[in-house]
Amino acid sequence: MGPGGRRRWLVMLALAAALSSPVSASGAEVAVLDWRRAVLDTEAARSAMQRLQEQVSPWQREAETLRLELEALAGDLAAADEQPSPSRVQEFQRKGQRFDRLRRDILEARQEAEQRLISRLEGRVDQAVAQVIERHEVEVLVTPDGVLHSGRDLPDLTAEVTRLLNTY
């Protein structure tokens, strides 16, 4: 299940709990869970992000070198009194395309690593969330971005879910 699907699932769970409970949402135990942060703060996530960093660091170095070269080329082309040579323009375009490709590759690698991690931990997340909900007798569980206003601080169960995920 993707991040959007998980978020919708949590919102639906919160709504179902609020609507099916004879206790109003204001009287129920309401808590907050940032499931994405809970997953990304695990040891498994730190390990996956370390592997990702090792994979993309050569790309990042190349992209930084290209960025500097592109800035210098752009300055040269802008400062030229005459029409720039076609070879200089082609060089600028070629380096710009490579730079864009590297940025896309880095972003895709990060998204793929996050998705693999979320997929790997999905069942465990469900189990950990269920345990925490039961332990704290939570009636309504919301995501941080789903709370528009609260007259009180809501318990944040994120760290507890992360601890449980680290024990599985």
Side-chain angles (χ1 to χ4, degrees):
M1 179 182 305
R6 168 87 50 206
R7 184 173 292 131
R8 281 190 296 277
W9 176 83
L10 287 172
V11 169
M12 295 301 280
L13 174 68
L15 286 173
L19 295 175
S20 66
S21 173
V23 178
S24 71
S26 62
E29 180 61 36
V30 180
V32 175
L33 173 66
D34 184 341
W35 69 267
R36 187 174 180 83
R37 193 179 88 218
V39 168
L40 294 177
D41 285 351
T42 63
E43 293 299 323
R46 282 194 262 285
S47 175
M49 292 301 117
Q50 177 64 35
R51 286 189 305 277
L52 172 66
Q53 186 58 39
E54 291 168 3
Q55 175 189 354
V56 301
S57 72
W59 301 344
Q60 290 172 323
R61 284 191 300 273
E62 183 182 353
E64 179 61 17
T65 300
L66 282 170
R67 184 187 65 78
L68 295 172
E69 291 174 2
L70 284 165
E71 286 177 0
L73 269 171
D76 291 349
L77 293 173
D81 291 335
E82 55 196 51
Q83 183 74 4
S85 71
S87 65
R88 295 285 280 174
V89 172
Q90 286 177 344
E91 178 185 7
F92 183 81
Q93 290 172 337
R94 183 179 45 78
K95 287 183 178 189
Q97 289 169 348
R98 177 64 182 152
F99 178 79
D100 288 342
R101 182 66 192 158
L102 285 167
R103 283 190 4 201
R104 280 192 308 273
D105 288 349
I106 291 167
L107 179 61
E108 286 174 14
R110 180 182 174 88
Q111 290 171 338
E112 289 170 6
E114 286 179 2
Q115 189 56 48
R116 277 192 308 274
L117 177 67
I118 289 169
S119 295
R120 196 173 94 217
L121 294 178
E122 188 170 10
R124 296 181 209 168
V125 170
D126 293 341
Q127 184 180 8
V129 169
Q131 285 179 340
V132 170
I133 286 172
E134 184 178 330
R135 180 177 305 129
H136 293 276
E137 298 178 351
V138 172
E139 301 260 342
V140 179
L141 184 63
V142 297
T143 62
D145 57 345
V147 178
L148 295 177
H149 171 76
S150 176
R152 62 185 174 101
D153 287 337
L154 299 176
D156 187 346
L157 306 179
T158 305
E160 188 172 346
V161 170
T162 300
R163 279 192 300 279
L164 285 171
L165 290 172
N166 281 332
T167 63
Y168 295 141

